Amino acid sequence: MNTDTHTPDSARSLDAHHHAHGLSDRVALAITLALRFFADTFFAKRYGNRAIVLETVAAVPGMVGGMLVHLRCLRWMVDDAGWIRTLLDEAENERMHLMTFIEIARPSWFERAVILLTQAVFFVCFFALYLVSSRTAHRLVGYFEEQAVVSYTLYLAEIDEGRVENVPAPDIAIAYWKLPADARLRDVVLAVRADEAGHRDVNHGFADALTRPVTVQHAS
């Protein structure tokens, strides 16, 4: 499975969508759409602030999944087929998204409080979901990432229309994505969107793999 999250947008389908099949997929999609509704209501077009909350939540699944797959592999003494490294790399990538947008949006103390509460609740809920059904958990992340691609596409539109200032890219983003020294916010959003499309494809792929018994024994 391709786990390269830095593939350019031109090599990925930005409007890719996994059609829900069965109860597990429908539950994951329903949760995603409900959370999207709340995000749209709370943040409206403040995409920089939305990105901060999105990324603090997005950094949780990879760490939770990597930890639980690691422990399961230890218990059953089986190979992880590369899942642990992929999931931990995803968590690190999402954390770098968060660190980047903190430099851009400068969240208020209220928004920081919302982030703390949201992350705590989501961690507990996702941990429980992964224990009950790792397939549903990965499908949920796949749908989350679909919506992340949509959000960053809308963010780009705001920049292109001049409604969001195309400020210089933070140094942390230039170093992480190896951007040109004169990179701007638009370049950062393009890089982040490409990462999210990669996470989308990987997590939908993991969910699909978990429908096959041969994979379930070491990664479900």
Side-chain angles (χ1 to χ4, degrees):
M1 179 177 295
N2 178 17
T3 59
D4 177 11
T5 59
H6 295 287
T7 302
D9 281 352
S10 59
R12 298 190 185 281
S13 174
L14 294 178
D15 60 354
H17 170 64
H18 176 85
H19 295 286
H21 300 288
L23 179 61
S24 176
D25 287 4
R26 291 188 176 90
V27 168
L29 182 58
I31 293 172
T32 301
L33 294 178
L35 293 177
R36 177 60 192 255
F37 172 79
F38 287 117
D40 287 345
T41 301
F42 187 80
F43 293 105
K45 293 189 176 183
R46 293 183 298 133
Y47 290 105
N49 300 80
R50 178 199 294 252
I52 290 174
V53 175
L54 172 69
E55 300 301 348
T56 195
V57 168
V60 169
M63 186 60 66
V64 170
M67 176 183 66
L68 292 178
V69 171
H70 172 70
L71 293 175
R72 187 168 292 117
C73 289
L74 292 178
R75 286 199 305 274
W76 297 105
M77 292 172 283
V78 294
D79 182 63
D80 72 315
W83 285 44
I84 296 172
R85 174 50 56 195
T86 298
L87 290 168
L88 294 183
D89 284 349
E90 177 183 310
E92 171 66 7
N93 179 250
E94 298 287 12
R95 186 182 70 83
M96 292 305 295
H97 292 178
L98 173 64
M99 300 306 294
T100 295
F101 283 109
I102 284 176
E103 293 293 320
I104 293 170
R106 302 292 182 180
S108 66
W109 284 109
F110 174 73
E111 287 169 332
R112 288 176 181 270
V114 170
I115 288 169
L116 290 174
L117 178 61
T118 301
Q119 186 185 82
V121 172
F122 183 74
F123 177 88
V124 173
C125 293
F126 190 82
F127 187 93
L129 176 62
Y130 207 98
L131 288 175
V132 173
S133 174
S134 56
R135 178 181 184 276
T136 304
H138 282 294
R139 187 70 74 204
L140 178 67
V141 177
Y143 284 137
F144 277 2
E145 301 296 5
E146 287 183 12
Q147 293 302 315
V149 170
V150 172
S151 291
Y152 285 117
T153 297
L154 294 173
Y155 196 176
L156 283 171
E158 293 294 297
I159 295 171
D160 291 342
E161 293 295 326
R163 290 187 288 270
V164 171
E165 184 181 358
N166 192 21
V167 298
D171 290 340
I172 189 173
I174 292 174
Y176 181 69
W177 284 286
K178 298 179 173 59
L179 299 173
D182 60 350
R184 315 292 291 188
L185 173 59
R186 191 178 195 281
D187 302 304
V188 173
V189 176
L190 283 171
V192 172
R193 185 174 66 172
D195 287 349
E196 305 294 17
H199 299 324
R200 174 201 65 197
D201 296 343
V202 167
N203 279 279
H204 279 319
F206 280 173
D208 291 342
L210 286 166
T211 65
R212 298 193 293 269
V214 67
T215 304
V216 170
Q217 64 179 346
H218 60 67
S220 174

